[in-house]
């Protein structure tokens, strides 16, 4: 066993304890009530880097602070930019958590807490691997730059701006991100594609107040009825999105990629059982993996209007609204999607209703070339830690900043997810397997060595 791997073994318990410290900070980026917690989480992350002797800065942005750190320079070695996020999704519905979301709890080899897998646990693997190098070898074999943001779950506005203004400071040979999943139990993966996203809020307004639905019903448009109809008009019964131009730029799947995806060991029944659903649906003509990873979608994320309390209340509500999002794939452009959506909503809106659409955020999908020495280095590092060669996957989720790294810094990203699809990211009872936490650290430590051997 190498010195580094021995060090990792000897420090395993402390690493878990430190992860628990970070998980106890409720850094919910969407909720203004948690501003102080966000700041505390940023400071906690910054202190980690200071402890390693990295030059470290907590940078204020238009939104939540950004933590930037750099390892002491190593001449004639590549530079890797590690990205992660310390913010988390809101924990609700709270009553569905077996243990409280911000009191980390170990059960059956898993650590349960909001942010365990997304992304505090995964992000920390790269910090601890750097620590192992510094503590055993006195230095890293390459140059590491870290950018850990607090706004990933709300669109990364501050980071977008920071990258645009600091391209030189962030210059690197490749980016490394662990903020996703392995392909399955015992099957690690390198991810070469992410979907993009376009998120909106739609508000409909009808009468100037809630009305008695007996006195007025049947004479004016009910905003909640209108909302249901308009939303239903955005997708057909074959799972196709009905927005003008929506599919114009969708990169079709090649036969080769279809074959590769089909050759992955995927059990549809298991997939459905795990989420408690009886039948798969979706866009006609595509397999489940193709639908999840390579095809665009429309989803309602929240829906409201009228009376939501106990019992019945017979009203025509004055307003109704929805939060909606589209997952996008290369080469769809979020701005074009917005224009198409507005056109379609105008067509669908019935008389007597005013509608207002606000764009929350958007980012395009990404595809990353697999024929690079970086990918091969990552495959070797993963094999060292997980005992198995990774398979190549795409993912259905979005990490908006990956596209920006490519556009502005002109570099590709290694997406090395240490989590699992059933980690309950964004759901109650989020977890991260402790074995994956430690394998992630081990893979990361080996990755620095493998990447250091690549010369350009
Ligand atoms: N870590 C996820 C992205 C992800 C999910 C990658 C699943 C791979 C597999 C990230 O934290 C996330 O949730 N992103 C949001 C982006 C949005 C809020 C702009 C998403 O995908 O909904
Ligand atoms: Mn994440
Ligand atoms: Mn997330």
């Amino acid at each position: 066993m190498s010195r580094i791997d021995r060090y990792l073994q000897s420090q395993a318990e402390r690493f878990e304890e430190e992860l628990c410290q970070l998980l106890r900070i409720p850094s919910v980026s969407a909720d203004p009530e948690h501003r102080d917690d966000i700041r505390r989480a940023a400071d906690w992350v910054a202190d980690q880097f200071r402890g390693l002797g990295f030059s470290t800065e907590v940078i204020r942005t238009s939104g939540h602070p950004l933590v930037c750190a750099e390892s002491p320079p190593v001449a004639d070695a590549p530079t890797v930019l590690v990205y992660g996020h310390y913010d988390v999704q809101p924990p609700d519905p709270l009553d569905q958590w077996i243990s409280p979301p911000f009191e980390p709890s170990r059960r059956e080899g898993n650590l349960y807490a909001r942010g365990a897998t997304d992304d505090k646990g995964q992000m920390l693997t790269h910090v601890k691997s750097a620590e192992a190098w510094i503590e055993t070898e006195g230095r890293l074999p390459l140059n590491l730059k870290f950018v850990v943001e607090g706004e990933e779950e709300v669109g990364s506005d501050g980071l977008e701006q920071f990258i645009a203004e600091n391209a030189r400071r962030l210059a690197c040979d490749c980016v490394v991100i662990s903020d996703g999943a392995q392909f399955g139990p015992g099957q690690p993966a390198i991810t070469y594609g992410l979907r993009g996203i376009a998120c909106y809020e739609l508000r409909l307004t009808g009468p100037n107040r809630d009305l008695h639905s007996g006195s007025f019903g049947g004479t004016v448009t009910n905003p909640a009825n209108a909302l249901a109809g308009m939303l239903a008009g955005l997708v057909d019964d074959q799972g196709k999105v009905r927005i003008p131009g929506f599919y114009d730029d969708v990169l079709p799947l090649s036969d080769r990629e279809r074959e590769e995806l089909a050759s992955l060991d995927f059990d549809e029944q298991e997939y459905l059982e795990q989420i408690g659903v009886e039948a798969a649906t979706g866009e006609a003509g595509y397999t489940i993996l193709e639908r999840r990873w390579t095809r665009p979608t429309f989803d309602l994320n929240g829906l409201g209007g009228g009376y939501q309390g106990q019992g019945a209340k017979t009203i025509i509500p004055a307003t109704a609204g929805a939060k909606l999002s589209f997952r996008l794939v290369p080469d769809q452009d979020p701005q074009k999607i917005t224009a198409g959506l507005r056109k379609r909503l105008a067509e669908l809106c019935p008389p007597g209703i005013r509608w207002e659409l606000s764009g929350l955020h958007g980012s395009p999908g990404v595809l990353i070339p697999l024929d690079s020495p970086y990918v091969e280095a990552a495959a070797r590092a993963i094999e060292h830690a997980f005992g198995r060669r990774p398979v190549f996957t795409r993912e259905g989720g979005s990490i908006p900043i990956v596209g920006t790294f490519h556009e502005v810094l002109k570099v590709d990203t290694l997406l090395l997810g240490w989590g699992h699809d059933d980690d309950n990211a964004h759901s109650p009872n989020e977890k991260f397997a402790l074995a994956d936490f430690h394998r992630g650290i081990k893979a990361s430590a080996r990755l620095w060595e493998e990447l250091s051997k690549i010369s350009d």
Side-chain angles (χ1 to χ4, degrees):
M1 200 192 285
S2 73
R3 261 167 52 187
I4 285 182
D5 289 347
R6 270 203 306 277
Y7 177 83
L8 295 180
Q9 225 171 42
S10 71
Q11 303 299 311
E13 229 168 279
R14 181 176 54 85
F15 291 169
E16 291 177 17
E17 273 318 304
E18 290 188 20
L19 172 55
C20 289
Q21 286 173 14
L22 179 58
L23 291 171
R24 284 188 197 104
I25 307 174
S27 45
V28 180
S29 49
D31 185 349
E33 298 233 312
H34 285 288
R35 274 191 56 165
D36 285 349
D37 298 316
I38 280 277
R39 197 158 314 150
R40 271 201 298 140
D43 288 338
W44 189 94
V45 172
D47 282 342
Q48 288 279 315
F49 294 124
R50 293 192 187 107
L52 298 180
F54 287 16
S55 71
T56 304
E57 205 182 338
V58 178
I59 293 162
R60 260 190 273 158
T61 71
S62 56
H64 299 313
L66 195 66
V67 183
C68 287
E70 278 182 44
S71 62
V74 176
D76 301 321
T79 299
V80 174
L81 179 70
V82 181
Y83 161 86
H85 62 96
Y86 66 79
D87 66 322
V88 300
Q89 286 272 325
D92 49 285
L94 282 173
D95 59 350
Q96 288 181 27
W97 285 77
I98 293 164
S99 52
F102 299 108
E103 295 174 26
S105 163
R106 286 182 181 78
R107 296 194 297 276
E108 286 148 13
N110 296 307
L111 190 57
Y112 285 83
R114 170 58 86 231
T117 191
D118 186 11
D119 174 45
K120 290 172 174 175
Q122 297 201 54
M123 177 272 291
L124 199 63
T125 61
H126 300 299
V127 181
K128 292 299 149 195
S129 68
E131 178 193 308
W133 272 91
I134 288 163
E135 291 300 324
T136 57
E137 307 297 323
R139 56 167 213 138
L140 280 150
L142 42 46
N143 300 286
L144 285 187
K145 296 179 179 176
F146 278 85
V147 173
V148 185
E149 70 157 319
E151 294 189 298
E152 196 275 344
E153 302 290 9
V154 290
S156 301
D157 282 352
L159 179 56
E160 289 282 356
Q161 197 185 338
F162 181 79
I163 294 174
E165 291 165 3
N166 292 274
R168 293 264 306 269
R169 175 171 176 174
L170 297 177
C172 59
D173 296 292
C174 76
V175 176
V176 169
I177 302 178
S178 293
D179 188 21
Q182 303 177 51
F183 181 60
Q187 182 55 74
I190 294 177
T191 299
Y192 66 92
L194 292 169
R195 286 196 287 194
I197 194 164
C199 289
Y200 308 90
E201 189 159 351
L202 175 64
R203 287 208 64 78
L204 303 191
T205 312
N208 57 10
R209 61 190 187 279
D210 288 2
L211 300 174
H212 192 295
S213 66
S215 309
F216 297 94
T219 63
V220 293
T221 309
N222 176 326
N225 290 29
L227 182 65
M230 288 169 75
L231 295 172
L234 293 178
V235 61
D236 72 12
D237 58 6
Q238 296 292 297
K240 281 266 190 286
V241 176
R242 295 186 62 199
I243 285 180
F246 189 78
Y247 291 95
D248 286 1
D249 301 323
V250 168
L251 211 64
L253 266 171
S254 67
D255 289 342
R256 164 126 190 251
E257 190 172 12
R258 288 196 109 156
E259 279 164 28
E260 277 163 4
L261 295 190
S263 76
L264 289 169
D265 183 18
F266 180 73
D267 186 329
E268 185 168 333
Q269 216 44 48
E270 229 171 76
Y271 175 76
L272 292 175
E273 263 163 40
Q274 188 242 116
I275 44 184
V277 164
E278 268 169 28
T281 60
E283 193 179 359
Y286 295 91
T287 68
I288 290 189
L289 283 187
E290 289 168 354
R291 288 173 185 164
R292 287 171 78 194
W293 293 350
T294 77
R295 299 296 300 172
T297 63
F298 162 61
D299 276 295
L300 280 169
N301 306 123
L303 192 55
Y307 181 64
Q308 312 272 343
Q310 297 236 327
K313 186 183 182 210
T314 46
I315 53 159
I316 295 171
T319 65
K323 292 183 193 281
L324 48 136
S325 61
F326 300 87
R327 291 288 164 178
L328 307 179
V329 299
D331 293 321
Q332 285 176 299
D333 171 359
Q335 282 179 1
K336 271 203 204 169
I337 302 303
T338 302
L341 175 61
R342 286 187 178 282
K343 217 163 150 191
R344 181 72 178 137
L345 289 173
E347 273 170 26
L348 289 165
C349 186
I353 296 288
R354 277 159 293 144
W355 62 274
E356 202 184 324
L357 183 78
S358 41
L360 298 179
H361 44 79
S363 67
V366 292
L367 276 174
I368 298 155
L370 285 173
D371 56 349
S372 82
Y374 303 108
V375 170
E376 190 42 44
R380 280 196 297 268
I382 287 172
E383 189 172 8
H384 169 70
F386 289 78
R388 192 148 172 197
R389 283 280 297 181
V391 290
F392 297 102
T393 59
R394 288 167 72 164
E395 288 263 30
S398 313
I399 306 175
I401 215 66
V402 175
T404 312
F405 286 138
H406 185 77
E407 263 168 51
V408 180
L409 305 181
K410 315 276 181 237
V411 290
D412 287 324
T413 294
L414 285 171
L415 292 165
L416 314 175
W418 311 138
H420 286 287
D421 284 332
D422 67 355
D423 276 347
N424 295 324
H426 298 202
S427 300
N429 304 306
E430 179 174 349
K431 64 177 164 64
F432 189 28
L434 288 164
D436 287 324
F437 177 55
H438 296 296
R439 284 191 283 247
I441 301 171
K442 187 171 172 179
S444 173
R446 180 59 71 101
L447 180 63
W448 306 147
E449 183 177 348
E450 294 287 349
L451 291 175
S452 75
K453 297 178 197 154
I454 297 172
S455 53
D456 46 14

